[in-house]
Amino acid sequence: MARPRQFDEENAVTSATHLFWRRGYHATSVRDLGDELKLTPSSLYRTFTDKHTLFLRALDHYRATESLEARRRLDATDRPVREVLREWLLWLVTCPADGESGRGCFVVNTATELGTTDEKVQQRTEAAFEVTRQALRSVLAEGRDRGELSGDLDADAAAELLFTTVLGLRVRERAGHDLEHLTTAIDFAIQALGPAPAATS
């Protein structure tokens, strides 16, 4: 009788995600994965083919779960966009997905570790970055259309500024920088969007 695999695989991918997130790709060995997932090397290879394939699965898992939460937090349909953006940026550096600080973002960590040396990884990191940029553009455009931001705001340029801020915040959070300093950077980035339009009578 074939052993059931789907539930076990999902749990294993989740565990592998946290291990790769903590240690990075190169510093995580097959033995480390076997110990974390409670799998022998032969079982690990039979289930996931190799370390690289499992890493891609882990990266996809992280992207899916983080993207869902980010979309929820960037929903500005009934709240001021500045408030939404500030709370989202603070969440990035205070409430990591696994409840453990000092890890930064798995996608950003991967991009800085592997850069452009791995095409499949680069495709995934760039896709994740584009999702973030598009979400920011949508929030900014909504704020502009609702009159909360200046009518001549360049939403594309502002999204790039905030996206660059996001990357810097993620790296600084991983480096253990003080939250007060990160909050100062966040507030200044929000201010850089310009003053709110004056109310008309």
Side-chain angles (χ1 to χ4, degrees):
M1 180 181 295
R3 64 185 179 88
R5 296 178 56 186
Q6 186 59 41
F7 180 78
D8 291 344
E9 282 190 26
E10 291 177 356
N11 286 341
V13 169
T14 299
S15 296
T17 300
H18 292 300
L19 182 60
F20 281 126
W21 189 359
R22 288 196 304 269
R23 304 190 61 174
Y25 178 73
H26 291 303
T28 303
S29 68
V30 172
R31 175 175 292 183
D32 294 331
L33 288 164
D35 292 343
E36 185 78 12
L37 276 54
K38 305 297 187 293
L39 290 174
T40 64
S42 60
S43 294
L44 192 148
Y45 283 121
R46 185 168 58 250
T47 304
F48 299 107
T49 306
D50 54 28
K51 169 184 161 180
H52 187 262
T53 301
L54 178 53
F55 183 76
L56 295 178
R57 291 272 302 271
L59 195 55
D60 288 341
H61 170 76
Y62 177 87
R63 289 172 53 209
T65 53
E66 185 193 48
S67 294
L68 182 64
E69 180 65 11
R71 282 197 298 270
R72 185 184 72 80
R73 290 179 176 273
L74 282 172
D75 181 4
T77 55
D78 59 353
R79 300 173 59 209
V81 297
R82 292 172 188 273
E83 178 182 311
V84 168
L85 288 168
R86 186 179 189 275
E87 289 185 4
W88 176 67
L89 290 167
L90 281 171
W91 168 72
L92 293 179
V93 295
T94 58
C95 299
D98 67 341
E100 182 177 328
S101 62
R103 291 195 192 184
C105 169
F106 187 25
V107 172
V108 175
N109 297 349
T110 298
T112 55
E113 179 185 6
L114 300 178
T116 59
T117 61
D118 187 314
E119 183 179 356
K120 290 183 178 180
V121 168
Q122 185 185 16
Q123 289 172 350
R124 285 164 167 79
T125 56
E126 287 301 318
F129 291 156
E130 181 54 32
V131 167
T132 300
R133 286 195 294 262
Q134 181 57 50
L136 287 170
R137 285 192 290 265
S138 296
V139 172
L140 291 165
E142 184 168 351
R144 183 184 58 197
D145 295 344
R146 292 200 318 222
E148 296 179 29
L149 301 173
S150 173
D152 60 1
L153 176 73
D154 186 333
D156 290 335
E160 290 299 324
L161 170 65
L162 290 177
F163 175 65
T164 301
T165 301
V166 167
L167 297 187
L169 289 170
R170 292 293 209 167
V171 172
R172 293 187 65 183
E173 186 269 325
R174 182 172 174 79
H177 288 194
D178 186 83
L179 178 60
E180 182 179 353
H181 292 151
L182 301 185
T183 302
T184 297
I186 289 170
D187 287 338
F188 192 81
I190 298 299
Q191 290 174 20
L193 297 175
T200 57
S201 57

